[in-house]
Amino acid sequence: MRILLAANRYFGDVKGGGNRVAWDAAKLLAKKGHEVALLCEGIEGKPESERVEGVWLVRYRIAKPNLNLLSRHQKAGEKTLRKVMREWIPELIWGHMPLQMIAMLNTFPTARAVYTLHSPVGEEFLGSSPAPGVLAKVKCYFANRIEQRCCESAEVITVLSRFSKSELLRLHGEKLESRIRITPGWTDVAKFSPVADRTAAKLRLGWPADRTVFFTLRRLVSRMGLDRLVAAAAIARDKGHKFQLYIGGTGPLRTELEQQIESLRLGDCVSLVGEVPEAELALKYASADAFVIPTRALECFGLIAVEAMAAGTPTLSTPIVALPEII
């Protein structure tokens, strides 16, 4: 079967839970003998078309400047698909993000369709800021409409948790319930596994071995709750607990978090470590005494929780959204 998947980015270009799930699925389908392609937004220096591990990668680029905020991804994706796939017509399209899904639906209207809702995209816009403004609310409105079309066009809609299913029905209507299947995410347990000696692993990373080490890996945006984690670290420090907290990830709140750490005088026990290379991730999970997920909203699966637990690391989370269900 010819299968065309779509994600925001190819996981080898840009890390992320949704990108990983789409890429893992593409690789597995290719190994099973299907002809598989993956549509995604490209990045500087990467080719428009290439083969990777049996999957045909097709990257579209958005022309700059581009003021068409509502449909630039869809139009760029369609243009690239029509250019590159003149003779390769998919029998099945499987979208993992709404904008790229629309590009596939418009280009191949007769193909059967599956859509995976990783997280409601409109809610993501609202949750990225502690006080979303008018622009975020406008984006949310149009994103919900686009997402609804994706769901209504799909024969099957997959979600990664019961929480995600409830959100989908709340936002897009009970009429879709018969199409929804819960298919939880996964991780590679050969890659993410416990270490024989956690102290030795800490020393390999340059982490202290004489105190409890906490680790978290999050986008630095409001809904991840990292400001509350830093505040909690100050409480633990003031109570005399000896620990080190490493916060991995990038995002717009880095400066704000740095200022919070400085104002609370936490520089000796809380560190922002930036982007964590994929090659170091498994060791960091396994070396920590506990992994922390302080999310305040919209965690529709929690792949990092699965990865950390596969590495044998106790995982502490806020008791909300999909996290209790997954842990």
Side-chain angles (χ1 to χ4, degrees):
M1 179 181 286
R2 286 183 171 179
I3 305 172
L4 174 61
L5 297 91
N8 273 346
R9 306 275 191 161
Y10 159 50
F11 183 72
D13 292 343
V14 178
K15 302 298 182 284
N19 294 343
R20 182 193 286 276
V21 170
W23 177 238
D24 283 352
K27 289 190 297 181
L28 180 62
L29 289 168
K31 286 180 181 178
K32 288 181 175 290
H34 299 287
E35 294 182 49
V36 181
L38 176 71
L39 173 71
C40 58
E41 184 181 1
I43 62 173
E44 192 68 36
K46 295 294 184 177
E48 180 180 63
S49 174
E50 67 172 323
R51 298 273 178 178
V52 179
E53 297 187 57
V55 177
W56 183 12
L57 288 183
V58 178
R59 298 182 179 93
Y60 66 87
R61 297 294 296 275
I62 297 174
K64 295 181 180 179
N66 192 314
L67 301 178
N68 188 353
L69 299 178
L70 297 180
S71 61
R72 57 186 180 177
H73 283 272
Q74 300 94 302
K75 290 184 181 300
E78 287 177 50
K79 181 179 178 181
T80 299
L81 288 174
R82 295 184 195 282
K83 171 187 171 184
V84 175
M85 294 187 168
R86 292 176 180 173
E87 299 178 1
W88 196 93
I89 308 300
E91 300 163 77
L92 175 70
I93 57 177
W94 181 4
H96 285 260
M97 288 294 164
L99 303 182
Q100 293 79 12
M101 178 70 167
I102 295 296
M104 295 192 300
L105 288 169
N106 290 346
T107 308
F108 304 109
T110 61
R112 302 179 71 181
V114 176
Y115 182 65
T116 295
L117 186 141
H118 289 270
S119 179
V121 67
E123 302 300 296
E124 286 277 2
F125 283 131
L126 295 179
S128 295
S129 170
V134 173
L135 180 59
K137 292 176 182 178
V138 170
K139 283 184 176 180
C140 175
Y141 171 77
F142 284 104
N144 283 340
R145 291 187 62 180
I146 292 169
E147 190 172 75
Q148 180 142 6
R149 182 190 165 192
C150 294
C151 292
E152 291 177 348
S153 300
E155 294 181 35
V156 173
I157 307 163
T158 67
V159 294
L160 279 69
S161 64
R162 293 191 298 274
F163 170 75
S164 297
K165 179 179 178 179
S166 68
E167 285 293 281
L168 192 157
L169 294 174
R170 177 180 68 83
L171 291 167
H172 302 305
E174 298 287 334
K175 62 183 181 296
L176 296 173
E177 183 165 17
S178 63
R179 305 186 202 180
I180 300 172
R181 305 290 182 271
I182 298 175
T183 58
W186 53 81
T187 194
D188 181 351
V189 294
K191 177 180 179 180
F192 298 105
S193 58
V195 291
D197 186 335
R198 183 167 282 157
T199 299
K202 288 179 182 178
L203 295 175
R204 282 178 60 189
L205 292 169
W207 287 2
D210 62 344
R211 67 195 66 185
T212 301
V213 172
F214 297 100
F215 175 51
T216 190
L217 182 66
R218 304 268 68 192
R219 284 176 53 229
L220 308 187
V221 296
S222 178
R223 76 170 182 86
M224 300 302 182
L226 293 168
D227 56 328
R228 298 198 292 189
L229 178 59
V230 172
I235 295 171
R237 186 273 316 276
D238 292 345
K239 290 187 175 182
H241 297 293
K242 194 175 182 182
F243 66 91
Q244 180 69 43
L245 167 63
Y246 293 106
I247 300 174
T250 61
L253 292 187
R254 182 178 179 102
T255 299
E256 192 173 311
L257 290 168
E258 287 175 337
Q259 292 171 347
Q260 184 185 14
I261 291 167
E262 182 179 357
S263 68
L264 293 172
R265 303 186 305 280
L266 291 169
D268 60 342
C269 59
V270 178
S271 301
L272 297 176
V273 298
E275 183 176 357
V276 177
E278 186 69 16
E280 297 178 9
L281 185 54
L283 182 61
K284 280 184 163 61
Y285 278 133
S287 301
D289 294 295
F291 186 76
V292 189
I293 310 177
T295 297
R296 55 163 44 97
L298 210 63
E299 194 80 48
C300 287
F301 178 66
L303 180 62
I304 54 171
V306 176
E307 291 174 344
M309 291 187 292
T313 302
T315 298
L316 314 174
S317 83
T318 44
I320 58 171
V321 293
L323 290 166
E325 173 186 344
I326 301 307
I327 293 175

